[in-house]
């Protein structure tokens, strides 16, 4: 198995980086590797803050659809449950998680970014739910994280309009905390990481449990996975994936 995730360990922190070029598409191997690294960091009392970022042109564009097309109808179910392990760890780890977004964050990639406690983006970053493109429902915690962060009305607008947000728009809505010049993003991420690692991390952890009760998070993620299971069996989803890969338009039929 190739290494799709690399990590750098510091005195009080860990940096975790996605590296599945060109756009860090999600597959079960990447998600399992990411889960292992994040869980080990969450369990290690010497690590007091976590930074997640990515190499390449994009932060993460969501599911690797070429992989999914090769696997057949069960691919989304397998992938979503592997990705949800990542999301659950990020949401419930007893220490702050920073996500640094450069380039596109779409679908599951956007959802993973939203699971972080502190979200930074460079000026060229973009955000899109993109689930309607492949005729599947929301996952990665987005069905509850988005309403938490920006409210139900704005969530509905993003879902049904399925438009791409610029970094500035994401900041205005409250999806990210800071937008920085690309040359400043990494420096600022390190600054935030160091500051959080020096902070009252036990108290941060207790606050996270109050904000994201683990049992509730697990239940909601499972509801999302069950909805994906149903969507994955539809004609719309099968045809949408083929159309997306072939870059041709699709008329959904609601079947």
């Amino acid at each position: 198995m190739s290494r799709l995730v690399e990590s750098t360990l510091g005195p009080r922190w860990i940096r975790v980086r996605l590296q599945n070029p060109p756009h860090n598409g999600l597959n079960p191997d990447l998600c399992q590797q990411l889960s292992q690294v994040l869980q080990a960091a969450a369990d290690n009392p010497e690590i007091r803050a976590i930074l997640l970022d990515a190499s390449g042109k994009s932060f993460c564009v969501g599911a690797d659809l070429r992989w999914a097309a090769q696997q057949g109808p069960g691919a989304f179910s397998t992938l979503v449950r592997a990705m949800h392990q990542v999301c659950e760890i990020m949401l419930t780890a007893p220490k702050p998680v920073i996500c640094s977004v450069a380039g596109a964050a779409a679908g599951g990639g956007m959802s993973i970014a939203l699971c972080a406690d502190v979200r930074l983006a460079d000026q060229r970053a973009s955000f899109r739910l993109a689930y309607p493109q492949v005729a599947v429902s929301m996952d990665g915690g987005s069905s509850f994280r988005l309403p938490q962060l920006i409210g139900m009305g704005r969530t509905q607008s993003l879902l049904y309009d399925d438009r791409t947000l610029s970094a500035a728009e994401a900041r205005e809505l409250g999806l990210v905390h800071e937008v920085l010049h690309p040359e400043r993003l990494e420096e600022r991420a390190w600054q935030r990481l160091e500051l959080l690692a020096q902070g009252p991390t036990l108290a941060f952890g207790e606050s996270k449990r109050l904000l994201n009760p683990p049992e509730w998070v697990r239940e909601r993620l499972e509801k999302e996975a069950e909805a994906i299971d149903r969507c994955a069996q539809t004609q719309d989803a099968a045809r949408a994936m083929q159309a997306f890969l072939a870059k041709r338009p699709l008329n959904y039929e609601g079947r």
Side-chain angles (χ1 to χ4, degrees):
M1 187 190 324
S2 61
R3 293 304 304 171
L4 302 174
V5 176
E6 66 174 15
S7 60
T8 305
L9 187 62
R12 294 182 296 266
W13 47 260
I14 188 170
R15 176 190 196 174
V16 184
R17 170 163 282 194
L18 307 181
Q19 49 177 22
N20 184 25
H23 298 292
N24 295 306
L26 298 173
N27 59 48
D29 285 347
L30 185 152
C31 293
Q32 288 163 11
Q33 291 178 31
L34 184 55
S35 292
Q36 290 171 0
V37 173
L38 291 174
Q39 189 63 64
D43 293 340
N44 185 343
E46 300 302 317
I47 296 175
R48 299 176 60 191
I50 300 167
L51 170 62
L52 175 64
D53 63 11
S55 61
K57 299 177 179 179
S58 303
F59 171 72
C60 175
V61 297
D64 181 342
L65 293 182
R66 296 192 183 280
W67 168 86
Q70 293 170 356
Q71 302 303 309
F76 273 120
S77 296
T78 301
L79 174 58
V80 165
R81 284 176 169 79
M83 183 183 70
H84 281 185
Q85 292 178 1
V86 172
C87 298
E88 183 177 342
I89 296 166
M90 292 178 66
L91 288 165
T92 62
K95 55 202 66 177
V97 179
I98 301 171
C99 187
S100 177
V101 178
M110 178 174 169
S111 296
I112 287 174
L114 296 183
C115 288
D117 303 295
V118 176
R119 299 168 299 280
L120 310 177
D122 79 18
Q123 293 168 336
R124 298 174 297 191
S126 63
F127 299 83
R128 183 176 181 180
L129 281 177
Y131 296 107
Q133 280 190 304
V134 286
V136 297
S137 51
M138 303 165 79
D139 64 12
S142 58
S143 69
F144 58 92
R145 282 297 280 167
L146 272 170
Q148 284 177 332
L149 294 171
I150 65 174
M152 183 62 74
R154 287 173 170 174
T155 296
Q156 291 166 323
S157 177
L158 287 184
L159 174 64
Y160 297 121
D161 294 344
D162 193 27
R163 64 189 180 91
T164 299
L165 294 175
S166 68
E169 289 173 315
R171 173 68 181 87
E172 184 178 352
L173 285 175
L175 293 179
V176 297
H177 295 98
E178 295 184 58
V179 174
L180 300 116
H181 189 280
E183 294 179 1
R184 283 270 296 131
L185 178 64
E186 185 165 357
E187 177 186 355
R188 183 57 174 155
W190 284 115
Q191 289 175 348
R192 294 299 297 266
L193 185 64
E194 287 283 1
L195 286 170
L196 288 171
Q198 294 170 28
T201 45
L202 293 179
F204 288 154
E206 290 297 333
S207 293
K208 282 189 68 170
R209 289 183 63 84
L210 296 171
L211 292 170
N212 304 314
E215 298 81 7
W216 181 82
V217 167
R218 193 171 301 117
E219 178 183 354
R220 290 299 305 268
L221 289 172
E222 180 57 28
K223 293 292 185 184
E224 288 185 346
E226 291 170 358
I228 288 280
D229 289 344
R230 293 189 291 271
C231 288
Q233 302 303 316
T234 66
Q235 293 182 29
D236 272 358
R239 296 178 63 209
M241 185 183 299
Q242 295 169 359
F244 183 86
L245 292 173
K247 298 182 179 180
R248 66 171 185 263
L250 171 67
N251 293 320
Y252 301 105
E253 297 181 359
R255 297 180 181 180

